[in-house]
Amino acid sequence: MSEIKDQATEELLELRTSIDNMDAALIHVLAERFRLTKKVGKLKAEHDLPPSDKAREQSQVERLRHLASQADLDPEFAEKLFSFIVKEVIRHHEQFRENTV
Amino acid sequence: MSEIKDQATEELLELRTSIDNMDAALIHVLAERFRLTKKVGKLKAEHDLPPSDKAREQSQVERLRHLASQADLDPEFAEKLFSFIVKEVIRHHEQFRENTV
């Protein structure tokens, strides 16, 4: 019994190492994504392009839901996460506009 | 003027293509992360290990905040995102327990 438990604990540690690697990947992909959206914000502000683009956002949501389904990730969760990230992007855009006005 | 605007539109499309690639990466890393946490949930349920581990969560938060800072990503945002993902993990664990009881 104790040996089985030890084996389970070892397997748990193995899984946690992989989860930690995935989290590091998430952080770095997100960091890069915000670098890109900051450039978008700057470009839009400089060229007086509209700050939000509903058609673009709608197509992003549809694409992400589709990708999520294919990867066996709940599409509802993917959409909620996308909204969460977009809120942060908008916050950055607003900060940028405030700092440049 | 129109040429500059065309150039800005082209640059915007370039940036959007990169953002779409980052989003696809996020979806796939998240899908893999949930595959791993589902295995963790199954292992914990099978071996009667405690479902939550506050010390582990605390060290994950600290590590993620540190990684975020290094990558110039707002640590507050990283922590909020982590909580958002962990909530979904707990929902999966609960579903799993309900389905196996």
Side-chain angles (χ1 to χ4, degrees):
Chain A
M1 180 59 193
S2 164
E3 204 178 301
I4 291 171
K5 201 120 193 173
D6 282 357
Q7 207 180 313
T9 308
E10 201 182 307
E11 206 178 319
L12 183 63
L13 290 177
E14 275 287 319
L15 288 166
R16 284 180 169 178
T17 302
S18 294
I19 290 167
D20 287 347
N21 283 343
M22 292 300 121
D23 282 345
L26 281 177
I27 291 291
H28 289 101
V29 172
L30 273 168
E32 182 58 22
R33 194 190 193 279
F34 283 116
R35 280 168 55 85
L36 293 163
T37 52
K38 276 177 187 166
K39 283 187 193 169
V40 168
K42 193 164 173 273
L43 197 70
K44 284 182 170 179
E46 279 168 1
H47 296 275
D48 247 350
L49 295 166
S52 97
D53 181 339
K54 289 293 162 202
R56 157 83 176 152
E57 272 177 41
Q58 192 50 42
S59 82
Q60 279 176 295
V61 166
E62 278 163 27
R63 179 174 171 271
L64 287 183
R65 289 185 67 104
H66 179 69
L67 283 173
S69 292
Q70 283 185 317
D72 201 22
L73 180 72
D74 180 6
E76 289 300 312
F77 175 78
E79 183 169 347
K80 274 190 283 177
L81 187 89
F82 178 71
S83 306
F84 187 81
I85 294 170
V86 166
K87 262 186 218 151
E88 185 73 5
V89 170
I90 291 168
R91 199 176 67 80
H92 289 179
H93 285 1
E94 282 167 358
Q95 266 181 350
F96 179 77
R97 276 176 196 259
E98 276 167 27
N99 293 340
T100 48
V101 165
Chain B
M1 178 61 193
S2 164
E3 204 177 301
I4 291 170
K5 201 121 193 172
D6 282 356
Q7 207 180 313
T9 308
E10 202 181 309
E11 206 178 319
L12 183 62
L13 290 177
E14 276 287 320
L15 288 166
R16 284 180 169 178
T17 302
S18 294
I19 290 167
D20 287 346
N21 283 343
M22 292 299 120
D23 282 344
L26 282 177
I27 291 290
H28 289 100
V29 172
L30 274 170
E32 182 58 21
R33 194 190 192 279
F34 283 115
R35 282 168 54 84
L36 294 163
T37 51
K38 277 176 188 167
K39 283 187 193 169
V40 168
K42 194 163 171 275
L43 196 70
K44 284 182 171 180
E46 281 169 0
H47 296 274
D48 246 349
L49 296 165
S52 97
D53 181 339
K54 290 292 164 203
R56 157 82 176 153
E57 273 177 41
Q58 193 50 43
S59 82
Q60 279 176 294
V61 166
E62 277 163 27
R63 179 174 171 268
L64 288 182
R65 289 184 67 104
H66 179 69
L67 283 173
S69 292
Q70 282 185 316
D72 200 21
L73 180 73
D74 180 5
E76 290 299 313
F77 174 78
E79 183 170 346
K80 275 191 281 176
L81 188 89
F82 179 71
S83 306
F84 187 79
I85 294 170
V86 166
K87 264 187 215 149
E88 185 73 2
V89 170
I90 291 168
R91 200 175 67 80
H92 290 180
H93 285 1
E94 283 168 354
Q95 265 179 353
F96 179 77
R97 277 175 195 258
E98 277 166 27
N99 294 339
T100 48
V101 166

